Amino acid sequence: MTPISGARRPYMSLFWSRINPRSKRATKQFTQSFSTFPLDPDTLGNLVLSKDVQEFHAIGGVTGLEEGLRTDVHSGLSLDETYLGAPANIAASTISTAPTEKTAISELPMSINLHRDAFVDRRKFFGDNRLPIKPSPSFLSLMWAAYNDHVLFLLTGAAIISLALGLYQTFGTKHTPDNPPVEWVEGVAILVAIVVITLAGAANDYQKECKFRKLNRKQQDRNVWVLRSARIHEVPISDVVVGDIVHISPGDIVPADGVLIRGHQVKCDESSATGESDPVDKTPIDTRPGGSREIDPFILSHTKIVEGVGAYLVLATGTKSSYGRILLSLDTDPGFTPLQVRLSNLAKNIAHFGALAALVLFVILFIKFCVGLRNSTESASEKGQSFLNVFILALTVVVIAVPEGLPLAVTLALSFATTRMMRDHNLVRQLRACETMGQATDICSDKTGTLTQNQMTVVSGFFGVTSQFTDRVSSPDILDEESTLSVAKCMNHLSSQSRSLLRQSIAINSTAIESRYGGGRQFLGSQTEAALLRFSQDYLELGQLEFDRASEEVVDVLPFDASRKYMITVVKMANGVYRSYVKGAPEILIEKCVATIAQPMQGLSTAPITEYGIEQIRQTIAQYASRSLRTIAICFRDVEELPSRDEEETVSFEDLMKEFTFLGILGLRDPLRADAWSAVDTSHKAGLTVRMVTGDNLLTARAIAEECGIINSPDDLVMEGDKFRALDESQQKELVPRLKVLARSRPDDKRVLVQRLKDLGRVVAVTGDGTNDAPALAVADIGFSMGISGTEIAREASSIVLMDDTFSSIVKAIMWGRAVSDAVKKFLQFQITITFTSVGLAFVSAVANSSQESVLTPVQLMWVNLFQDTLAALALATDPPPRRILDRKPEPTSTPLITPTMWKMIIGQSVYQMVVTLVLYFAGSSIFSYHGAFQTSQLQTAVFNTYVWMQIFNMYNNRQIERSFNLIEGIHHNWLFIAITCIMMGAQILIMFVGGRAFSITKLTGDQWAYSIILGAISIPQ
């Protein structure tokens, strides 16, 4: 299985590469059992939950688990395992789980994909590492949810009564040729309209469910490193099985329950399982029988590794794990976003307005109906039908006024944006981030991997106080060519002892691992450590990494941490001396140095380091930093006895941090991304302030910031983290508007910076990749984690994952965030215009008409309601953002949903549509000299036709919420808008020709068609 070379993980390869010789174990034959494994899943799951070390030793400790799970803690499971027979002794086997005679499989090629029968018996017995997925709602349940509205219930009841009366009139009364038996049609038409609206709403909800489920699955996809057949493999968490040896490192989220068998300084955040916020120390279980009982070696699934590196044996997976038993939180309902809540409240207010108008309309029409009964000559059934018509019209006004499309529009816009953002390498984990991103005012970005390429290369170096080199190919901008040697020449001048010490310092004190898949060699882990190992391979005669590490007896390790900014590995030399290899930030380690290699070209003789020597080193560091190089100091210290903590036998690293011998400084170049400058410049034009927060020193950070355009004014401020921390809150608030670069920062500095910006009313986006970035990602309005170089904890704390780790993807997220806001505003304009005009027209015309009939029949209003609530939402919510969307400043969070510009459009369109419709309705006969009943019926049809065409053309008006007359800008990128426009036009034409009695349609002439469409098109310039 080929590991992904880009993954940035601090893998402690001494756990994997160096396979210690197996201790001689007595052969212990298990009693023949009907079960493939002597240990059942429930027993193992309960063991982890109880954290009972005595029970652990009672089942045989690590040896008992090895035999009971048919695995090996040194080489892991076998890639050849498929079907298993009865338990057998595997102590003398070279692999832990050989296949039985049932299958004969040759040696597998290294591939990320397992064959179908891999670990089949193991999965069948212990289960796989999948949590049950919450079932999607069925289409029928979505239909019920769309229909489950009291207004639709009332309308359905009224339609059924109308249908019953219509059937009675159709079959129970006499008809003339001028009065055909079609009274039942209106009731059926209303029922059909209700069904269509319900189906459309359910279809949209179903599509939304499918899209979000797909996105959720993508969010949950992640890989872990396991040891199988004595080699490291990267596999999806769903492929982890009981008996696997899984590697853990800072930032990982534990994929399954287990017990720690190897590790250094491992601490877990178990708050998700126990509620305790303090990290819990994890101690490797003693592999010797009768080991200490006062330890906690148990690793719980879905907890977070906050510190240390190690390897653990998987004991429970999937539903048998502690997380699987407690919570299926990855499939919980994401809830509503703030914009959805605001729109829902607005929709309720509009619905209340419609309900009030409908109530008033019903009261007026009912009074008129009661007054008219005295002189009415209609039959009882006809009077009943007249009352039902009044009631249905009032209910239809309520249906028209209820803007179901508002929540639907924002849901569709968010769904569409999140899907399209995936193409732009943005994986949205929290929907609220989609809309918040459009209001962002500040971006606090990392440097490495986001603004730069995260492809480190050693290009300069400084050893002792005399030897210096620069790679002129990678660094053509060197300042002094005569005083520096090429890399190869400098390395050849070093003595063999100096090269050996430098090689060991890099190879041993590292968490990177070596991969040799595909015939080549590559180093996996942090880019800084991989660059150092490539340097050792090219110039220091580094052979196979595991051989160098296997020759050393590692005593303890203090992994690199962003707050410490250094790493220590302690080894025991052959002569009994303990040597500490140290690497880290030069400004920290230089202060701890008391000696240096006097003549690295001749040997390892040391000399006290002088003030002049320290000043030389500092000048070299400043020179490297001015060339945008990351500097790493390498030191060591030899002691006869290791200092230990008072009550524990562990190494006291605090006491080791002194009296170092300086070995050298290495300068690493991480080239700026090609699109970094343009992305930062685009952000500035969009009204965003870009700030860089980095662990690099001040000069390096300034050089990078100037190179990518973050610093563009003499007033811009560059500050180190310790000085920022020394300020009080008021001083920090005063400085942060001008602060563009925060160098040598600690993780908490980023969180404080974000909090101060938020206190000033800014909307802040933050990027982060490490475990310690999680607090800043969580407190930010929008947290961007790194999909390639980020840790699992960072991704869990973030709201959006940058799948390509680039700053330009953040700019694309801003575009889509603004597009979501624009889509909602577009639909809001359209929706409110239709609501005002439909309710107003129905009210005025019904009250003014002697027969109490509306200018638009209930069925016609239902058709308008269908495309205002569903079709228009689809069309207007799916416009991709134009590039010029970044030319405007971000909107404040206090901006109302309906801006003054929008109100102008709504009022202008409403007035125009109502005037045209009412003039045609009341004065059309006079204007066009219509006298007969047929021409009057044509006029009524033309009024309906004109009104619908005004809505279709008004959709084009609403594609622009800015002052732009180019209404078809970018329309070719939105095929859905074009398709829905064609559907609306086609459906309207179809209704006009075959709608008949159901839609109260009379065939129109060419002239009538012409003025209907022309009057509709005139709405565009409004």
Side-chain angles (χ1 to χ4, degrees), residues 199-273:
L199 284 173
N204 285 321
D205 288 342
Y206 185 76
Q207 183 186 35
K208 179 198 70 174
E209 286 286 336
C210 290
K211 286 183 178 179
F212 286 145
R213 187 164 292 276
K214 183 178 180 181
L215 286 174
N216 285 336
R217 283 197 299 267
K218 183 68 177 175
Q219 291 174 16
Q220 296 166 23
D221 285 345
R222 56 189 174 94
N223 294 341
V224 294
W225 291 84
V226 299
L227 180 67
R228 289 177 180 170
S229 293
R231 303 190 73 173
I232 310 164
H233 303 274
E234 188 176 43
V235 301
I237 57 172
S238 57
D239 286 349
V240 173
V241 294
V242 172
D244 263 327
I245 309 297
V246 177
H247 179 267
I248 50 177
S249 54
D252 286 349
I253 294 180
V254 179
D257 290 347
V259 60
L260 189 66
I261 55 175
R262 292 184 287 273
H264 290 288
Q265 314 291 328
V266 177
K267 292 184 178 181
C268 289
D269 175 5
E270 295 185 346
S271 57
S272 62

Side-chain angles (χ1 to χ4, degrees), residues 71 133 193 199 210 237 278 301 319 350 441-442 497 537 569 592 660 693 718 763 814 833 856 868 927 982 990:
T71 186
I133 299 175
L199 284 173
C210 290
I237 57 172
D278 294 333
S301 60
T319 55
I350 295 174
T441 59
D442 294 75
Q497 298 98 320
Q537 175 185 312
T569 299
K592 311 291 184 182
F660 290 145
V693 184
V718 180
V763 179
I814 295 170
T833 301
L856 301 174
Q868 81 162 15
I927 295 172
C982 293
L990 188 65

Side-chain angles (χ1 to χ4, degrees), residues 12 14 264-265 505 508-511 529 554-561 564-571 579-584 589 635-637 642 651-658 660:
M12 197 61 199
L14 61 91
H264 290 288
Q265 314 291 328
S505 297
I508 303 303
N509 191 29
S510 174
T511 59
E529 295 193 329
V554 177
V555 177
D556 208 346
V557 176
L558 183 66
F560 180 84
D561 182 83
R564 288 190 298 264
K565 300 190 184 303
Y566 58 82
M567 174 182 177
I568 305 177
T569 299
V570 181
V571 300
R579 173 167 291 174
S580 301
Y581 295 110
V582 189
K583 72 168 184 280
L589 298 185
C635 312
F636 70 97
R637 181 189 179 190
L642 284 176
V651 175
S652 174
F653 288 103
E654 294 81 3
D655 294 331
L656 278 177
M657 282 294 295
K658 59 184 179 181
F660 290 145

Side-chain angles (χ1 to χ4, degrees), residues 883-937:
R883 194 70 192 177
R884 63 181 176 83
I885 203 171
L886 293 174
D887 293 339
R888 66 177 194 240
K889 304 300 181 184
E891 291 183 343
T893 54
S894 58
T895 302
L897 283 173
I898 307 175
T899 63
T901 303
M902 293 170 63
W903 275 120
K904 292 177 184 178
M905 173 67 77
I906 292 169
I907 294 172
Q909 282 292 327
S910 299
V911 169
Y912 171 75
Q913 291 181 16
M914 289 188 69
V915 167
V916 169
T917 306
L918 291 175
V919 167
L920 283 177
Y921 182 65
F922 289 109
S925 297
S926 301
I927 295 172
F928 297 108
S929 301
Y930 292 160
H931 303 294
F934 180 75
Q935 288 182 323
T936 303
S937 179

Side-chain angles (χ1 to χ4, degrees), residues 134-145:
K134 182 180 178 181
S136 300
S138 65
F139 190 77
L140 287 177
S141 64
L142 291 175
M143 283 185 62
W144 172 249

Side-chain angles (χ1 to χ4, degrees), residues 12 47 62 98 179 210 245 251 444 481 518 558 563 686 740 839 869 887 890 956 980:
M12 197 61 199
L47 173 65
V62 173
N179 184 25
C210 290
I245 309 297
C444 297
E481 296 189 11
L558 183 66
S563 59
K740 291 297 184 71
V839 173
D869 272 348
D887 293 339
Y956 285 84
I980 288 175

Side-chain angles (χ1 to χ4, degrees), residues 424-489:
D424 292 334
H425 311 292
N426 286 283
L427 173 61
V428 179
R429 298 186 68 255
Q430 298 174 8
L431 276 182
R432 67 179 62 240
C434 235
E435 58 193 51
T436 309
M437 198 61 223
Q439 300 172 324
T441 59
D442 294 75
I443 302 175
C444 297
S445 174
D446 283 343
K447 175 185 76 71
T448 304
T450 308
L451 296 168
T452 61
Q453 298 178 18
N454 200 22
Q455 296 177 357
M456 294 284 188
T457 306
V458 177
V459 296
S460 294
F462 183 86
F463 301 113
V465 290
T466 57
S467 303
Q468 187 170 354
F469 73 85
T470 293
D471 182 357
R472 293 188 175 88
V473 175
S474 301
S475 300
D477 55 342
I478 56 172
L479 304 179
D480 188 357
E481 296 189 11
E482 295 183 359
S483 63
T484 58
L485 302 174
S486 66
V487 184
K489 186 176 293 186

Side-chain angles (χ1 to χ4, degrees), residues 314-580:
V314 175
L315 300 183
T317 57
T319 55
K320 300 296 183 182
S321 67
S322 56
Y323 179 65
R325 294 183 180 192
I326 297 172
L327 188 63
L328 301 179
S329 62
L330 295 180
D331 290 294
T332 55
D333 185 359
F336 297 106
T337 70
L339 183 58
Q340 286 174 317
V341 172
R342 291 178 70 190
L343 284 175
S344 295
N345 293 333
L346 178 62
K348 290 177 182 177
N349 293 333
I350 295 174
H352 291 158
F353 157 76
L356 179 62
L359 178 62
V360 174
L361 176 63
F362 177 75
V363 170
I364 293 174
L365 295 183
F366 182 69
I367 293 173
K368 290 183 65 177
F369 171 77
C370 293
V371 171
L373 287 177
R374 181 181 304 175
N375 301 319
S376 175
T377 59
E378 295 178 334
S379 64
S381 62
E382 289 174 336
K383 291 177 181 177
Q385 184 64 54
S386 297
F387 173 76
L388 271 179
N389 289 341
V390 171
F391 185 61
I392 288 173
L393 178 61
L395 285 179
T396 305
V397 168
V398 176
V399 172
I400 281 287
V402 174
E404 300 97 338
L406 280 182
L408 177 62
V410 68
T411 300
L412 286 172
L414 290 170
S415 173
F416 180 73
T418 52
T419 304
R420 293 295 294 271
M421 285 173 70
M422 273 297 297
R423 302 182 190 176
D424 292 334
H425 311 292
N426 286 283
L427 173 61
V428 179
R429 298 186 68 255
Q430 298 174 8
L431 276 182
R432 67 179 62 240
C434 235
E435 58 193 51
T436 309
M437 198 61 223
Q439 300 172 324
T441 59
D442 294 75
I443 302 175
C444 297
S445 174
D446 283 343
K447 175 185 76 71
T448 304
T450 308
L451 296 168
T452 61
Q453 298 178 18
N454 200 22
Q455 296 177 357
M456 294 284 188
T457 306
V458 177
V459 296
S460 294
F462 183 86
F463 301 113
V465 290
T466 57
S467 303
Q468 187 170 354
F469 73 85
T470 293
D471 182 357
R472 293 188 175 88
V473 175
S474 301
S475 300
D477 55 342
I478 56 172
L479 304 179
D480 188 357
E481 296 189 11
E482 295 183 359
S483 63
T484 58
L485 302 174
S486 66
V487 184
K489 186 176 293 186
C490 180
M491 293 301 102
N492 288 335
H493 286 179
L494 292 179
S495 67
S496 59
Q497 298 98 320
S498 297
R499 287 200 302 273
S500 176
L501 178 58
L502 183 58
R503 182 180 66 247
Q504 292 296 93
S505 297
I506 292 174
I508 303 303
N509 191 29
S510 174
T511 59
I513 61 173
E514 183 179 4
S515 169
R516 293 187 300 279
Y517 297 124
R521 297 178 64 187
Q522 57 181 340
F523 298 103
L524 309 178
S526 76
Q527 286 295 322
T528 300
E529 295 193 329
L532 295 176
L533 289 171
R534 286 194 297 270
F535 172 78
S536 298
Q537 175 185 312
D538 294 339
Y539 300 107
L540 298 176
E541 303 167 358
L542 176 67
Q544 292 189 17
L545 185 59
E546 59 265 32
F547 290 166
D548 276 62
R549 289 171 172 172
S551 62
E552 299 287 346
E553 183 181 344
V554 177
V555 177
D556 208 346
V557 176
L558 183 66
F560 180 84
D561 182 83
S563 59
R564 288 190 298 264
K565 300 190 184 303
Y566 58 82
M567 174 182 177
I568 305 177
T569 299
V570 181
V571 300
K572 186 175 183 180
M573 310 292 287
N575 59 4
V577 172
Y578 294 96
R579 173 167 291 174
S580 301

